[in-house]
Amino acid sequence: MKTLREIKEVLKGICVSPSLLSCDFSKWAEEIASAKAAGANLIHWDIMDAHFVPNLTFGHPVVKKLRPHSDLVFDVHLMIDDPVTYAPKFREAGADIITMHIESPAFKDAKTVTDTLTGLKNTGCAVGLVVKPKTPAEAIFPYIDLCDIVLVMTVEPGFGGQSFMADMLPKIESIKSEIEKRGLDCALEVDGGVDGETKDLCFKAGATAFVAGSYLFGKPDMAERIKAFYAMEKKQNG
Ligand code: DX5
Ligand code: ZN
């Protein structure tokens, strides 16, 4: 398993995190291997409990079973009512990054959020908070110093294949400027409707980590598509 230092090193540059929600569930291991072969440096796990979002996916035993099959950074996105109980289980299963929704009912007070983030960090896990489209950026500011990553949802969580919400761009900018103002070592990730065009808008707004499901999985030119994500940085640098 990767150390926190190694994970943070990956998070410093552009990250491409194909969402397994769009993969062929009859061949998980091959799908993860194909994402890596196509150039992805993260792999995104969408965990849904049919309460926090109106959809049900998979639990920590699936993550645990696949862990020995890949050395990709496992980027686990918890869309569940109770990340306080379950985040540690996903960590034990092999998650490298765990992001949790600030709107989760189990985050009943500030101390619970802080304790959960700190507890996971102490195990060497990279941690982050997620904001749904209707949640303002400011909701996570009290905890941003503890975050290795912040995830901005650019669709309502629950399903793949939805359209990108361009009105989330100012939120990305505002979180980016808070990160810079505080001089934090915190990555900024976007999730939902990310494709060849919307990725550029997110990158311009300050995002450096990109989740993409339907745009990447099952596409014969997945490698070309992924290459274009990394090219944004090169373009900017020269
Ligand atoms: C939505 C999930 C996303 C989803 C993205 O709740 O968090 O990760 O898989 O799918 P696309 O890229 O198809 O919008
Ligand atoms: Zn996700």
Side-chain angles (χ1 to χ4, degrees), residues 77 79 110 171 173 182 211:
H77 174 195
M79 287 161 275
K171 194 195 283 188
E173 285 168 3
R182 300 195 195 193
V211 178

Side-chain angles (χ1 to χ4, degrees), residues 19 44-48 77 79 151 153 191-192 211:
S19 167
H44 191 78
W45 296 82
D46 284 305
I47 311 301
M48 307 186 188
H77 174 195
M79 287 161 275
L151 171 54
M153 290 309 299
D191 184 5
V211 178

Side-chain angles (χ1 to χ4, degrees), residues 11-16 42 99 127 129-131 137 140-141 144 147-154 168-180 184-191 202-211:
L11 287 174
K12 262 191 198 135
I14 295 272
C15 291
V16 184
L42 265 55
T99 55
V127 294
L129 291 171
V130 192
V131 278
I140 53 119
F141 287 174
I144 199 166
C147 292
D148 301 296
I149 187 165
V150 168
L151 171 54
V152 176
M153 290 309 299
T154 42
M168 292 300 112
L169 292 167
K171 194 195 283 188
I172 299 167
E173 285 168 3
S174 127
I175 295 174
K176 185 70 175 186
S177 74
E178 192 68 20
I179 290 169
E180 284 175 349
L184 301 176
D185 180 14
C186 177
L188 188 47
E189 185 175 44
V190 286
D191 184 5
C202 295
F203 180 70
K204 262 186 218 131
T208 52
F210 303 85
V211 178

